[in-house]
Amino acid sequence: MKVAVVHEWLEHYAGSERVLAQILRCFPQADVFAIVDFLPEDERSFLKGHKITTSFIQKLPFVRKHFRNYLQLMPLAVEQFDLTSYDLVISSNHAVAKGVLTGPKQVHVSYVHSPMRYAWDLQAQYLRESGLEYGMKSLYVRWLLHKMRLWDANSANGVDQFLANSSYIARRIAKTYRREALVVPPPVAIDDFTPGQGARDGFLVVSRFVPYKRVELIVQAFREMPQHKLTVIGAGTNASLVVKAADGAPNITILPPVPYATLIEFMRSARAMIFAAEEDFGITMVEAQACGTPVIAYGEGGAHDIFSSTSSAPCTGILFETQSVESIVAALDNFETWERHLTPALCRINALRFSEASFRKHFMDAVNMTLATAGYGPVNDAPHW
């Protein structure tokens, strides 16, 4: 079976690239396609020498720094990939990858990190945060996003099976494309995050300082609870807002991003990690659990998948109902009541459900089911899965 994997773009090794790495472990013989490839040499090892076929956008002016400005050309670009010789096409989609053209004898499985949030339900927020609420440029961007929505909805017809990284994203796929998706949680490098042996003290936030993360709410809540220590690690456009929210409170420490090994030590030594964002999934929550650390999180989005009790994974997180200071304060009080039950061993058990090996198994199960529905036999098991 000849396999093609279509990725959006290669710029940095981040969340969607971690998924791509595991897909390529399932299909090491696959050919890889991407809109553009500017991945640094020191971040390419996960590609295992795969040659990347890029689109015509790769050669356009100023593309290295400004390829996102060519969004209006990306639907056309992804449609120009010639995939006619492939039996199975796998797209890793958060923008346009699922729009590749396939024929009736080909099977197309699309792993969706999220439908285009800035084009659909978060358009108003995107325009507001980009300073594009008014003016001629705003009118152009609104028109462009309208055209992108039309194309995005239509291109969903070429997908045989959608896979979603959480039940939250599955609901967004149903709303956006009117299609059912199977949930396959993303891979987390569980082995990199292990419980520590030392004492735990204080609470921890690790996040980009951007509007939807709502880090300032957590900081404001701890300013009202001087008996609790909070360490906040991150950087971003909202940094001044986070610092202002702390208002010099002695129980709150704000740090810039730290080295990977140091970050893990912070996770291992915290009483709990706190998240106030509505996440598509929430990989950092699972990394915290792998370190044996409980989580206090806003109870929307992917947090429901991570902290739903099952026979094999008891609930090891405290969820709060609203993105408000009052709700976070109440969650801290609730955590103190249940803290002794949220043991490092139970947190670790919960995290193991989201390992890279678990992803590969569930991903291959979904692919084989789709192939069977299309009349193909299953892809045979192999040791590297």
Side-chain angles (χ1 to χ4, degrees), residues 233-251:
I233 299 174
T237 55
N238 265 30
S240 60
L241 191 61
V242 173
V243 172
K244 183 179 179 181
D247 195 26
N251 63 316

Side-chain angles (χ1 to χ4, degrees), residues 7-38:
H7 194 64
E8 305 285 7
W9 47 73
L10 290 164
E11 183 185 21
H12 296 293
Y13 183 63
S16 62
E17 286 71 35
R18 294 175 189 275
V19 171
L20 175 61
Q22 298 306 312
I23 292 174
L24 293 179
R25 284 194 64 179
C26 293
F27 296 100
Q29 80 283 12
D31 294 327
V32 182
F33 297 78
I35 298 293
V36 295
D37 176 13
F38 297 118

